[in-house]
Amino acid sequence: MRSRAAIFLVTSLLAAPLEAGDAPPVLRVTGTIAGGVVEFDLETLRDLPQTTLETSTVVTDGRHRFTGFLMRDLLHKVEARGDTVTATALNDYVVEIPVSDFRDYDVIVAYAMDGKQLERADKGPLWIVYPRDDHSELQDIRFDYRWVWHLSGLDIR
Ligand SMILES: Nc1nc2c(c(=O)[nH]1)N[C@H]1C(S)=C(S)[C@@H](COP(=O)(O)O)O[C@H]1N2
Ligand SMILES: [Mo]
């Protein structure tokens, strides 16, 4: 954990990213965006219009109420241009997501579940959540892959 933090700090310094906030960054956005690199802390992400979404998931029992922001609002904020978002996670999970998902569906990046902040132990601090219960086509393994928990990076191309 310590060496990962150190490596992160070094790469941060080398890339000299724009810092959106003073608290520790939780999400690094790169690619074809304004400024090239933006790091967000949780406080800054909470300033995005808040959205809630109630849905079941493939990894929890029953329905839960997720709170976060719309992925398309974040992409708009960083002036993203491109068709594909590569999402990475703290556990080195990587998946490509077509940007069209975020136009077609109210996909959120959640930081709370049932009113409680998502901790690392429960898929946090950030989790991509699809409105699965509202669209039968989303109840598919192709979309399950895109529910990135421990989300830490988005690269738009
Ligand atoms: N960070 C992270 N997110 C992830 C994964 C993962 O390994 N790490 N697995 C994906 C896959 S393949 C699926 S089906 C769903 C549920 O994964 P789980 O059954 O391993 O919890 O989460 C997706 N999100
Ligand atoms: Mo999976």
Side-chain angles (χ1 to χ4, degrees):
M1 215 44 243
R2 180 175 296 233
S3 63
R4 179 189 286 260
I7 289 164
F8 179 72
L9 180 63
V10 169
T11 46
S12 302
L13 290 173
L14 288 177
L18 276 174
E19 280 270 355
D22 298 327
V26 291
L27 183 65
R28 182 181 170 88
V29 186
T30 57
T32 45
I33 63 169
V37 185
V38 186
E39 291 188 333
F40 289 95
D41 63 25
L42 214 43
E43 286 306 301
T44 310
L45 292 174
R46 283 174 180 280
D47 289 340
L48 286 161
Q50 198 178 82
T51 320
T52 62
L53 163 58
E54 201 173 307
T55 187
S56 59
T57 85
V58 291
V59 297
T60 58
D61 288 332
R63 280 164 69 89
H64 294 275
R65 194 168 58 86
F66 292 93
T67 306
F69 52 87
L70 287 168
M71 185 69 99
R72 64 171 166 272
D73 285 347
L74 177 72
L75 296 182
H76 182 77
K77 185 182 172 74
V78 299
E79 297 173 36
R81 299 276 177 278
D83 299 325
T84 306
V85 172
T86 303
T88 52
L90 295 171
N91 63 336
D92 296 328
Y93 182 76
V94 183
V95 70
E96 285 191 1
I97 305 176
V99 168
S100 55
D101 276 14
F102 311 129
R103 287 195 297 265
D104 297 345
Y105 306 105
D106 292 340
V107 179
I108 75 167
V109 178
Y111 42 71
M113 185 173 77
D114 303 326
K116 267 189 55 204
Q117 183 166 316
L118 283 170
E119 303 298 337
R120 256 200 89 150
D122 42 43
K123 311 272 190 212
L126 298 173
W127 188 4
I128 297 176
V129 174
Y130 278 71
R132 173 176 223 279
D133 290 1
D134 296 337
H135 305 273
S136 55
E137 68 271 25
L138 295 181
Q139 293 156 31
D140 186 280
I141 186 84
R142 282 184 305 129
F143 290 98
D144 294 342
Y145 294 143
R146 302 175 188 172
W147 285 59
V148 179
W149 30 273
H150 295 338
L151 176 70
S152 60
L154 297 170
D155 184 68
I156 300 104
R157 303 285 160 171

